[in-house]
Amino acid sequence: MNYCPECGIALTAQSYQGRGEVLLCPAGHACYPPGPKILVAAFVNCGEKLLWMKRGNPPRAGHWAIPAGFMENGETLREAVSRELREETCVHIPPENFSPYMIGSISFISEVYIGLHASVDTTACACGEEALDVGFFREDEIDWAEVAYPSANDAVKTAYREARENRFGIYHGDFTDMIDRLDLVLPPPT
Ligand SMILES: [Zn+2]
């Protein structure tokens, strides 16, 4: 049984805007229906190196990943990615320094993926609460078979190539039960 976070009344199943049965508060409090979650990821490069974190929490605890986390209510995308990066790697980058980089759908877990990019001048970083380790690494330093999300390897290798060239395009990805694909939508400025 789920309860309203505002008044504690048991939520009831009702139809909602064509999205099937969802749990809503009978007293009319705003109870957000379940739906896709927004995952923000921070592609941060220092020269040819990208920032990684070793995940401390499930899923895929103990494996390396690009820092990422869920957007919270009331945040902008840039605020969300700046916060997640600070919490996980102790790297402080102002929200306005992030640029849109990779957008996509991870439909089998109902998540919208939004990767933002920023560059830094120093490899200074430290473990945050949710990280077992953090660091900036070159592409040839990564054990690609052991990363947390191998299905994203093509996307991360794309980021490595662009970091070496210091020219970043904008990409759209579809990650579904059937396909993993990443398309260049806007090429890097020449
Ligand atoms: Zn309520």
Side-chain angles (χ1 to χ4, degrees), residues 14-102:
Q14 300 172 38
S15 65
Y16 180 86
Q17 295 184 355
R19 295 170 72 171
E21 296 257 298
V22 299
L23 296 172
L24 294 175
C25 172
H29 295 122
C31 288
Y32 297 99
K37 295 167 78 174
I38 297 173
L39 181 65
V40 293
F43 287 83
V44 177
N45 79 297
C46 182
E48 64 177 355
K49 296 183 174 183
L50 286 179
L51 177 57
W52 291 74
M53 66 168 283
K54 193 177 207 177
R55 296 181 56 81
N57 294 334
R60 304 293 290 156
H63 294 266
W64 289 88
I66 296 297
F70 290 112
M71 189 176 182
E72 294 180 354
N73 292 335
E75 284 183 325
T76 67
L77 287 170
R78 285 168 164 165
E79 288 167 351
V81 78
S82 177
R83 173 186 53 76
E84 283 291 340
L85 187 71
R86 189 175 65 249
E87 289 174 355
E88 295 178 347
T89 70
C90 301
V91 173
H92 293 244
I93 298 178
E96 61 269 23
N97 287 21
F98 283 94
S99 301
Y101 187 40
M102 291 187 182

Side-chain angles (χ1 to χ4, degrees), residues 144-175:
W144 293 97
E146 284 299 311
V147 300
Y149 304 109
S151 63
N153 281 352
D154 284 349
V156 181
K157 289 178 181 180
T158 295
Y160 268 111
R161 191 187 71 240
E162 297 196 325
R164 286 193 294 271
E165 298 171 356
N166 196 28
R167 297 167 66 235
F168 292 85
I170 294 180
Y171 294 82
H172 176 265
D174 277 325
F175 299 90

Side-chain angles (χ1 to χ4, degrees), residues 94-169:
E96 61 269 23
N97 287 21
F98 283 94
S99 301
Y101 187 40
M102 291 187 182
I103 63 170
S105 311
I106 315 175
S107 62
F108 55 91
I109 49 174
S110 293
E111 290 179 4
V112 175
Y113 182 90
I114 309 218
L116 294 104
H117 164 254
S119 296
V120 292
D121 297 327
T122 161
T123 57
C125 56
C127 274
E129 285 180 12
E130 298 169 3
L132 300 176
D133 200 358
V134 295
F136 284 83
F137 300 106
R138 291 193 316 268
E139 182 172 359
D140 61 8
E141 295 175 305
I142 303 300
D143 182 352
W144 293 97
E146 284 299 311
V147 300
Y149 304 109
S151 63
N153 281 352
D154 284 349
V156 181
K157 289 178 181 180
T158 295
Y160 268 111
R161 191 187 71 240
E162 297 196 325
R164 286 193 294 271
E165 298 171 356
N166 196 28
R167 297 167 66 235
F168 292 85

Side-chain angles (χ1 to χ4, degrees), residues 3-11 24-31:
Y3 298 90
C4 173
E6 288 206 44
C7 69
I9 294 176
L11 301 175
L24 294 175
C25 172
H29 295 122
C31 288

